């Protein structure tokens, strides 16, 4: 067997390459933001606001109330620093917070 491109690759390597090609965040950043969100913002905030998407260098967060949205915007620089610490990346540079429309619920 030759040592060319026909050799099997680690799945993680393939996923990282695909994400890079799509200009998407790395799996480390995605994991840090979406799986460790309560650690980043605290349990109380996490109960009222969830990350939605990372668009370029902007994290979009959905809050269930304008008060929580304001709190998150006020803490933006601290949250960006915490995301960088947890993920080991400076990918997230800004945070946009949107308020969930009345009557809609987050997916279970």
């Amino acid at each position: 067997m030759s040592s060319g491109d026909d050799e099997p690759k680690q799945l993680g390597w393939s996923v990282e390459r695909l994400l890079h090609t799509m200009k998407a965040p790395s799996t480390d950043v995605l994991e840090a933001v979406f799986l460790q969100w309560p650690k980043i913002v605290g349990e109380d905030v996490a109960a009222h606001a969830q990350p939605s998407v990372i668009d370029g260098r902007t994290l979009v967060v959905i809050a269930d109330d304008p008060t929580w949205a304001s709190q998150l915007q006020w803490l933006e620089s601290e949250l960006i620093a915490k995301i960088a610490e947890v993920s080991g990346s400076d990918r997230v540079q800004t945070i946009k917070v949107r308020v969930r429309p009345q009557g809609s619920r987050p997916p279970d």
Side-chain angles (χ1 to χ4, degrees), residues 16 19 24-37 40 51 53-59 83-84 86-93:
E16 286 296 333
L19 290 171
S26 70
T27 55
D28 291 343
V29 173
L30 294 171
E31 178 182 325
V33 172
F34 290 92
L35 297 181
Q36 297 187 50
W37 183 246
I40 293 168
V53 67
I54 297 175
D55 183 10
R57 294 176 110 25
T58 301
L59 169 63
I83 291 168
V86 171
S87 70
S89 169
D90 65 350
R91 173 64 185 246
V92 174
Q93 295 290 309

Side-chain angles (χ1 to χ4, degrees), residues 61-76:
V61 177
I62 307 297
D64 61 11
D65 182 89
T67 304
W68 289 105
S70 295
Q71 177 75 4
L72 286 163
Q73 284 300 157
W74 188 71
L75 294 171
E76 180 181 21

